[in-house]
Amino acid sequence: MSEFPRIAAVGLGGVLVRFADHLSEPANRAALAFRRTVEDAAWDGVAECATSLTSTFLRFDPLVVEFDDLAARLNALLASRDWYDVPLPTGRRRFIVPCVFGGDHGPQFGAAADAAGLDHAAALAALCAPLRVMTIGFAPGLPYMGALPDFDIARLSDLVSVPAGGVAVAIGQAIVFPNLSPTGWRYVGQSALRPFQPGAAQPFLLNAGDEVQFRAADPDELQAISDAADPMGGAEVTAI
């Protein structure tokens, strides 16, 4: 019998539902679908739900619902279906984002491709495939996207500074930085996308479950988008 999914208490008012102890597409799918189902159920006492790469977290009010009662509901819901094989939630979006890879706009692209054992054309094709936003974390609005099995490469011990909109890869994932940040991930491309927009009604541009597909662009196009101060980074957005 698998040890997952499993439930654990987190402090006095939290519950963590874990679907795996390592990243996989089915575990991420399960976390996203389970979160949506709990949110739609609108159980009394559950104040908030969030997902990590492979888990769903519930914050609850222990004055309204006891942990044991909530855990019993969650266990019944877990047993109701195969969460690793359910459809993804509806209401998701795909962002097609212009991005310049390599050169001054992605100085570690070649090194990342070499570390992955890919020629540059294959590396570019992998980076321009649709990527799921698996979770938001580390910095406001920062998306962890994947899976990128071709880029299951280690982080570097030496840090580089990546500007806002920069694309970096490591450990089978890609990220887009919302602001200037140090990182050990390899800086492979540059977009004008701003995942965190503090003045907007919805400051986090992307949601877990959305998809991002990079489109290879040239520096002149990127400069024109940047000059237009478009926080969407020239992205085309469609419902999926």
Side-chain angles (χ1 to χ4, degrees):
M1 179 177 177
S2 172
E3 62 177 317
F4 296 103
R6 67 177 185 230
I7 295 172
V10 180
L12 296 177
V15 183
L16 188 68
V17 182
R18 298 183 62 194
F19 291 94
D21 58 4
H22 63 278
L23 176 60
S24 70
E25 191 280 332
N28 182 251
R29 171 187 297 270
L32 293 172
F34 193 78
R35 172 187 178 178
R36 173 64 63 82
T37 302
V38 172
E39 288 177 331
D40 289 346
W43 292 338
D44 288 342
V46 176
E48 181 182 15
C49 296
T51 51
S52 67
L53 292 173
T54 62
S55 303
T56 301
F57 174 77
L58 286 72
R59 181 171 62 86
F60 69 95
D61 184 347
L63 298 178
V64 177
V65 59
E66 295 184 358
F67 171 80
D68 289 345
D69 292 338
L70 182 56
R73 286 188 180 184
L74 291 170
N75 275 315
L77 185 58
L78 286 171
S80 69
R81 69 207 72 174
D82 180 0
W83 291 96
Y84 300 94
D85 193 36
V86 296
L88 286 166
T90 59
R92 297 175 301 119
R93 301 161 297 167
R94 175 175 293 161
F95 292 71
I96 299 179
V97 180
C99 183
V100 180
F101 292 98
D104 293 339
H105 295 86
Q108 294 174 309
F109 173 82
D114 292 344
L118 301 172
D119 62 38
H120 288 196
L124 183 62
L127 291 167
C128 291
L131 302 173
R132 181 188 305 163
V133 178
M134 297 183 292
T135 192
I136 304 291
F138 177 71
L142 186 151
Y144 285 84
M145 302 174 296
L148 268 176
D150 289 329
F151 283 96
D152 190 11
I153 56 179
R155 302 178 184 90
L156 300 173
S157 57
D158 295 331
L159 302 182
V160 298
S161 291
V162 177
V167 178
V169 296
I171 55 175
Q173 299 168 68
I175 53 181
V176 180
F177 284 98
N179 43 42
L180 178 68
S181 181
T183 184
W185 293 41
R186 287 173 171 86
Y187 175 27
V188 298
Q190 183 65 47
S191 74
L193 191 71
R194 296 296 178 264
F196 180 49
Q197 302 175 15
Q202 298 293 329
F204 290 8
L205 177 62
L206 299 164
N207 298 318
D210 287 339
E211 289 186 357
V212 172
Q213 183 169 5
F214 295 113
R215 174 177 62 78
D218 60 42
D220 288 342
E221 180 182 1
L222 180 64
Q223 186 61 55
I225 295 169
S226 298
D227 290 345
D230 176 11
M232 297 288 289
E236 301 174 22
V237 184
T238 57
I240 54 175

